[in-house]
Amino acid sequence: MSELRDELKYLASHEWARVEADGTVTVGITDLAQEALGDVVFVELPEVGSEVVANAEAGVVESVKAASDIFSPVSGEVIAINEVLEEAPETVNASPYDDGWFFKVQPTELGELDNALDAEAYKAGAED
């Protein structure tokens, strides 16, 4: 099984969310998702300052196998994007939970993450 981190929340669509100490939320895709996609060749991220909606499309990740939508786990304003991915999208494959994050959100309602999955529930769903 791919790596999962207990401190993260997950969507069934394979995004992860990490609540930072300042209350912002960092978003990326899981190790399982990057393995399934194969070599990531392009990532389209939302613009800084734009609004994202929980469980709605916020970007696209493209690999040699397929293109997949990126969904935001929370609603709010995008306050940062991972600019490294513009020049080095393969960072998602090498470090999906650390250097390969996609964007950061200042959430309007952090409680939306209560509907996200914990690592155990995500793992159970991914094995089905």
Side-chain angles (χ1 to χ4, degrees):
M1 180 71 184
S2 303
E3 178 187 0
L4 291 174
R5 295 187 177 177
D6 289 338
E7 72 274 18
L8 303 178
K9 292 293 218 170
Y10 299 90
L11 296 182
S13 53
H14 308 292
E15 291 80 5
W16 58 260
R18 179 177 52 235
V19 179
E20 306 295 348
D22 63 0
T24 61
V25 176
T26 303
V27 179
I29 60 169
T30 66
D31 192 27
L32 177 67
Q34 69 80 22
E35 286 179 0
L37 283 168
D39 294 337
V40 173
V41 295
F42 179 75
V43 179
E44 181 182 322
L45 299 174
E47 292 184 24
V48 172
S50 66
E51 296 289 326
V52 291
V53 176
N55 300 308
E57 180 186 332
V60 176
V61 57
E62 293 184 24
S63 72
V64 293
K65 292 182 181 178
S68 297
D69 293 333
I70 302 166
F71 294 89
S72 180
V74 294
S75 301
E77 180 182 352
V78 175
I79 58 171
I81 60 170
N82 188 351
E83 295 179 359
V84 168
L85 301 182
E86 291 178 17
E87 297 296 322
E90 67 276 11
T91 304
V92 175
N93 295 113
S95 181
Y97 296 115
D98 297 310
D99 299 333
W101 60 275
F102 287 160
F103 57 91
K104 296 178 186 260
V105 177
Q106 179 65 56
T108 53
E109 178 53 57
L110 196 54
E112 289 175 331
L113 280 180
D114 293 343
N115 299 323
L117 305 170
D118 62 18
E120 192 70 26
Y122 174 76
K123 179 181 176 184
E127 291 175 345
D128 288 341

